Amino acid sequence: MIDDELDHLVEKLDLAQKVRLLAGATVWRTHAEPAIGLRAMLSSDGPVGVRGEGWDERNTSPTLPSPTALAATWDEDLVERLGALLAAEARRKGVHILLAPTLNLHRSALGGRHFECFSEDPLLTGRIGAAYIRGVQSGGVAATAKHFTANDSETDRMTVDVRVDEQALHELYLAPFEEAVNAGAWVIMSGYNAVNGTTMSESPLLADPLKERWGFDGIVISDWGGVRSTLASAQAAQDLAMPGPNAYWGDALLAAVRSGEVPESAIDDKVRRILRLAERVGALDPGGNDTPDNPADGEHRALAPRGPGSHPRTSDPDAALLRQAVAAGCVLLRNEGALLPLDPANLRRVAVIGPNAAAIRIQGGGSAGVYPDSVVSPLDGIRDALCGTAEVAYAPGVSTTDLPTPLETANARNPRTGEPGLLVRILDAHGVEIHAEHRLTGRLLEPTVVESAATVEVRTLLNPAISGDWRLAVAGWGRVTLEADGRTLLDEEIPRDTDDPATVHLHPPYRTTHLALTAQTPVELVARRQLAPDTGRATVLAADPPRLDDDRELAAAADLARTCDVAIVVIGTTEEIESEGRDRTSLALPGRQNDLVTTVAAANPRTIVIVNSGGPIAMPWHTQIPALLLTWFPGQQAGHGLADILLGATEPGGRLPTTWNDSPITTTTPTAGTLDYTESLNIGYRAWLHRPDPPTYWFGHGLGYTTWSYESITADTPLTIRVRLRNTGPRPGRELVQLYLSHPGPTISRPHRWLAAYAPATADPGECTEVVLRLTARSYQHWSPVHHSWQTDPGPYVVLAGPSAGTLPLTTTITPPVG
């Protein structure tokens, strides 16, 4: 639809109608306007799946590997295909706007939400993010590049003021968003944070460079609750305030326009952009009469949630793609003595050890969470792959978390129906049931609430697997109670003490108690929380058996490892460590997982360690074990993809998108509300290049199952570089060739070197291959704070090629044109 047609639609609306369109109608929906054929648009969190409207574990989604794993593939074609899979799921659920991808950088290893971001490098982040956007939008669903901009940590995230110099702002933190605009992104989300004194929903950066210099023609949507003013945000290039209703952009904005404080032309531009988005996602039909809030066409009609006992919906091709993505993102950090891949013919008994082996984390915590169709654990995947070949034995080894475990279908029954799961009742102020439903988990973030609801009650029959002192827990804001067989165990008032929506709606505080239970003797548990304004609905009922004795379990794991041909230890982080709303305080693993690794490695020299985390962890033992594999948060096909790598069905395709080291070198803690990016351009590998000591593993590092020799580098032009390399190993393989630039003695501050291009190479054993790496004029440029524009320094540039930022065996020089 051309602008003239959009202008005509805007002219049909009076001021009140126009202002109404600029704030959400509900938490997830925009307003419809029947007068011009505008339907409501539904948004949904991503990025690893499409949750749909609200939180309901019965409404599942195919679940991708985390964005860190996607960036570790360095494979834009694969990421684009995964984006298209998400678009199909969004259309199935009636979703028009997917609130992903996150283009913020891994500025500090302590960032608690890095699993949702791609990498520490702006080029890699921009290119992988652009591929994700192209894939999602190829299906007629809007992708949302977020959180604009410099929103790289979680501490004080609602109010922190990031102070960053102009050059670093443009070269690092704005660059991925510019790439998103170049890829045709339809939506940009402004962040909660301020940059250089101005909160992002009011920032001049939304106008320039975003809309003016870059030519972005989509909408700027706020982060949820991010519009916190009337005049300043409306006068800025902020277009849509979510969620709704919004007190600042309702009647207050209407009055501001009528008084002349906000020009109506600014409102018209915002409305025009919203209509353009609606046309792109199929929610605008000026000639039609059907304008319900739910889309009328079948392609966008959401399906009803599936109940218990239903089968996974992921199709075989989608499952195969998700399985491929697991292997493509796994990074092999060490492989001494070529322990991997394992030969199934030489295996009789395999030890699989660690709590994450049986219950792997497939995603990080927070608003990005989705409910997977099903999850294949590493233990299940390895057992399936070795079925009929080798025995696979399991030991948990240690405990890793103190967080209570919500009840689930495996250990709870609905007392009303006897089905696996829980009974959720909604009660009025007199305690009368006004709604009831069967649920599959004790973690209920949005239980169905109807008019006159006063209390959420969660009731279930817990069947203890073992006897002992069980820990029982309930979570929620306001008054919470917990009963066991009619006896009150907890009764407490929990005041809300935060404005962070992720905490309010997703992480209410727990209250715990203990109760002696007998194995196979069911007990009826009843948790209740009273509903109050601005406290969300989240209600959790949890139960944990007596805690493992770590000394005993460590000894049992070592005993198992001694009796096996190989020991596979899966370690990782927990939701307390990696989650939206908080940063990490250290990179140490929780619990005694370091002891687990060293104990098992001492018992069996053929030990493989698999790291299940979204970002870097400290690995003080990494040189003591022969094989170290990083699997990130690998999505629902985790176990199958991992088994494919371990047994050699495919190579580990990943290369590090972030430098790994045992300790961070950049803080995330503000001082008096301000977080100074004093390191300027030098984050990640750029920072490590200025230090005398190398990191544990360089950005770009990763091994395959063959070896490579880098033989020559040739510059055809400043924008075309050829690298010749040879597969010197025993099997076909794939290598990721990385190209970096350096500019000795520049007239302005530059990193020691920076990533400029990358491309994959494939070859058979002994075969040579040539890779063509293509640069752009921007590859050589820096942002000049003097000219406020991109400039190219004169003189020669050093071009370096190799397999990581720390290993670059090939060099040449080139002098690009200046201008």
Side-chain angles (χ1 to χ4, degrees):
M1 183 175 291
I2 62 175
D3 285 352
D4 286 347
E5 294 173 302
L6 294 175
D7 290 341
H8 180 63
L9 295 178
V10 174
E11 290 169 359
K12 290 184 175 183
L13 303 175
D14 63 29
L15 181 60
Q17 288 174 308
K18 289 187 288 190
V19 169
R20 179 175 177 267
L21 295 179
L22 303 186
T26 66
V27 173
W28 302 109
R29 290 182 181 270
T30 64
H31 279 287
E33 182 46 73
I36 57 172
L38 174 65
R39 294 192 290 272
M41 290 180 284
L42 175 63
S43 59
S44 171
D45 279 317
V48 299
V50 184
R51 191 174 61 245
E53 189 167 16
W55 295 79
D56 190 325
E57 76 284 357
R58 299 165 296 181
N59 197 9
T60 61
S61 171
T63 305
L64 279 59
S66 65
T68 44
L70 299 186
T73 69
W74 297 58
D75 187 336
E76 293 153 51
D77 291 339
L78 175 61
V79 172
E80 192 166 337
R81 291 166 59 202
L82 290 164
L85 185 157
L86 293 176
E89 178 67 7
R91 291 195 305 271
R92 187 187 77 86
K93 290 182 174 175
V95 169
H96 304 89
I97 305 169
L98 183 64
L99 302 174
T102 300
L103 299 183
N104 303 119
L105 299 184
H106 295 176
R107 172 184 167 267
S108 168
L110 295 174
R113 201 176 180 180
H114 279 352
F115 56 84
E116 197 178 328
C117 311
F118 290 117
S119 93
E120 68 186 28
D121 184 82
L123 177 70
L124 179 59
T125 295
R127 286 180 58 169
I128 296 297
Y132 185 104
I133 289 165
R134 289 193 302 269
V136 171
Q137 295 186 172
S138 70
V141 175
T144 304
K146 64 182 190 182
H147 309 85
F148 190 87
T149 186
N151 187 272
D152 311 297
S153 56
E154 294 295 284
T155 305
D156 295 344
R157 67 182 187 139
M158 306 295 292
T159 57
V160 65
D161 181 12
V162 171
R163 300 298 174 97
V164 56
D165 67 77
E166 185 178 335
Q167 185 181 3
L169 179 63
H170 283 81
E171 292 187 22
L172 294 181
Y173 303 104
L174 288 173
F177 290 96
E178 183 177 7
E179 192 65 24
V181 173
N182 292 337
W186 295 342
V187 182
I188 301 285
M189 180 185 288
S190 57
Y192 290 131
N193 61 300
V195 171
N196 296 331
T198 306
T199 190
M200 285 313 304
S201 61
E202 304 168 6
S203 174
L205 295 171
L206 299 176
D208 185 30
L210 179 58
K211 291 183 176 179
E212 296 170 11
R213 193 179 308 226
W214 298 349
F216 174 63
D217 69 353
I219 73 163
V220 176
I221 192 173
S222 73
D223 205 341
W224 266 229
V227 167
R228 291 165 283 192
S229 68
T230 299
L231 295 182
S233 57
Q235 291 166 348
Q238 180 74 46
D239 298 311
L240 177 62
M242 291 296 288
N246 182 284
Y248 298 102
W249 273 30
D251 291 340
L253 179 54
L254 182 61
V257 179
R258 286 175 172 162
S259 69
E261 295 173 285
V262 175
E264 189 168 354
S265 60
I267 303 300
D268 290 348
D269 180 69
K270 300 176 197 298
V271 172
R272 187 182 301 110
R273 289 171 178 272
I274 289 170
L275 296 182
R276 182 181 293 120
L277 174 65
E279 193 272 333
R280 284 169 166 167
V281 300
L284 182 62
D285 182 13
N289 296 315
D290 184 8
T291 58
D293 274 0
N294 285 315
D297 62 279
E299 184 181 28
H300 286 280
R301 187 179 299 117
L303 300 183
R306 298 193 309 280
S310 60
H311 296 288
R313 179 181 45 74
T314 306
S315 68
D316 289 342
D318 288 350
L321 178 61
L322 295 175
R323 182 171 181 164
Q324 176 189 350
V326 176
C330 283
V331 182
L332 183 60
L333 297 178
R334 282 176 62 84
N335 193 21
E336 299 301 307
L339 175 56
L340 291 175
L342 300 171
D343 183 353
N346 295 329
L347 300 176
R348 294 294 176 268
R349 194 165 193 248
V350 174
V352 178
I353 296 169
N356 288 46
I360 192 167
R361 286 191 78 194
I362 67 165
Q363 57 187 319
S367 64
V370 300
Y371 298 101
D373 288 340
S374 60
V375 177
V376 182
S377 71
L379 178 60
D380 290 339
I382 294 166
R383 278 179 171 162
D384 184 69
L386 292 176
C387 182
T389 301
E391 177 192 355
V392 177
Y394 171 69
V398 292
S399 298
T400 58
T401 180
D402 290 325
L403 198 66
T405 306
L407 288 162
E408 56 186 18
T409 55
N411 60 359
R413 285 188 296 114
N414 184 324
R416 181 171 290 178
T417 67
E419 297 174 89
L422 304 94
L423 171 65
V424 176
R425 301 198 309 149
I426 307 301
L427 312 177
D428 67 13
H430 304 289
V432 176
E433 179 184 305
I434 54 178
H435 176 79
E437 60 187 5
H438 179 80
R439 300 299 292 262
L440 310 179
T441 174
R443 185 172 184 249
L444 300 154
L445 302 180
E446 290 184 343
T448 303
V449 170
V450 296
E451 188 176 355
S452 73
T455 300
V456 177
E457 179 189 273
V458 185
R459 186 181 293 262
T460 195
L461 290 172
L462 167 66
N463 189 25
I466 60 175
S467 298
D469 190 31
W470 281 65
R471 183 179 66 171
L472 307 178
V474 60
W477 302 102
R479 188 182 176 205
V480 298
T481 63
L482 178 62
E483 299 175 0
D485 285 340
R487 180 162 63 96
T488 298
L489 304 178
L490 288 169
D491 187 343
E492 187 171 343
E493 186 77 25
I494 305 176
R496 199 189 86 175
D497 58 2
T498 178
D499 290 326
D500 191 321
T503 303
V504 171
H505 297 285
L506 305 179
H507 300 293
Y510 281 97
R511 294 296 183 265
T512 62
T513 186
H514 288 79
L515 184 65
L517 298 178
T518 303
Q520 308 308 318
T521 302
V523 58
E524 184 174 45
L525 302 179
V526 181
R528 298 186 185 92
R529 67 153 292 188
Q530 291 184 351
L531 297 171
D534 302 320
T535 61
R537 290 179 262 162
T539 309
V540 187
L541 176 58
D544 288 281
R547 188 177 176 90
L548 297 174
D549 181 313
D550 280 346
D551 287 336
R552 183 181 302 172
E553 294 299 330
L554 281 168
D559 290 342
L560 173 61
R562 288 188 191 95
T563 67
C564 294
D565 301 306
V566 66
I568 301 169
V569 183
V570 186
I571 59 173
T573 58
T574 62
E575 190 165 341
E576 298 104 306
I577 290 176
E578 287 192 280
S579 180
E580 177 182 358
R582 55 183 175 271
D583 290 319
R584 299 161 73 182
T585 57
S586 81
L587 302 185
L589 283 166
R592 295 181 61 186
Q593 292 185 89
N594 288 335
D595 291 342
L596 178 63
V597 171
T598 55
T599 298
V600 172
N604 189 329
R606 289 168 53 84
T607 292
I608 302 161
V609 174
I610 297 167
V611 178
N612 175 209
S613 71
I617 60 166
M619 301 180 293
W621 35 258
H622 75 102
T623 59
Q624 302 172 31
I625 47 99
L628 177 57
L629 183 68
L630 173 58
T631 192
W632 311 101
F633 297 146
Q636 69 182 54
Q637 283 287 315
H640 288 324
L642 185 58
D644 288 342
I645 289 175
L646 295 174
L647 300 174
T650 188
E651 269 196 314
R655 302 295 185 266
L656 283 179
T658 296
T659 304
W660 276 48
N661 195 64
D662 282 4
S663 59
I665 58 174
T666 310
T667 184
T668 61
T669 304
T671 300
T674 297
L675 183 59
D676 288 309
Y677 285 17
T678 55
E679 71 285 348
S680 188
L681 299 171
N682 293 312
I683 66 171
Y685 67 90
R686 301 166 181 230
W688 282 99
L689 289 167
H690 288 273
R691 295 174 65 96
D693 53 325
T696 308
Y697 294 103
W698 282 101
F699 173 84
H701 172 72
L703 306 174
Y705 286 155
T706 190
T707 54
W708 297 86
S709 172
Y710 282 74
E711 297 190 342
S712 65
I713 183 170
T714 306
D716 292 352
T717 72
L719 304 183
T720 305
I721 311 295
R722 298 180 183 273
V723 172
R724 185 175 178 83
L725 63 165
R726 184 185 301 274
N727 182 344
T728 57
R731 57 181 280 168
R734 175 183 181 271
E735 173 75 332
L736 184 79
V737 181
Q738 300 161 47
L739 196 74
Y740 295 79
L741 294 177
S742 180
H743 189 42
T747 58
I748 193 168
S749 175
R750 299 299 299 268
H752 186 71
R753 57 178 173 260
W754 61 94
L755 180 69
Y758 58 87
T762 57
D764 291 328
E767 182 182 16
C768 279
T769 186
E770 187 175 76
V771 173
V772 178
L773 297 114
R774 304 199 183 277
L775 290 76
T776 66
R778 180 66 63 82
S779 303
Y780 296 93
Q781 293 175 337
H782 66 271
W783 180 265
S784 168
V786 175
H787 299 93
H788 306 294
S789 64
W790 293 97
Q791 303 286 318
T792 304
D793 257 7
Y797 285 69
V798 178
V799 184
L800 308 96
S804 78
T807 305
L808 298 165
L810 300 180
T811 62
T812 188
T813 59
I814 197 165
T815 302
V818 177

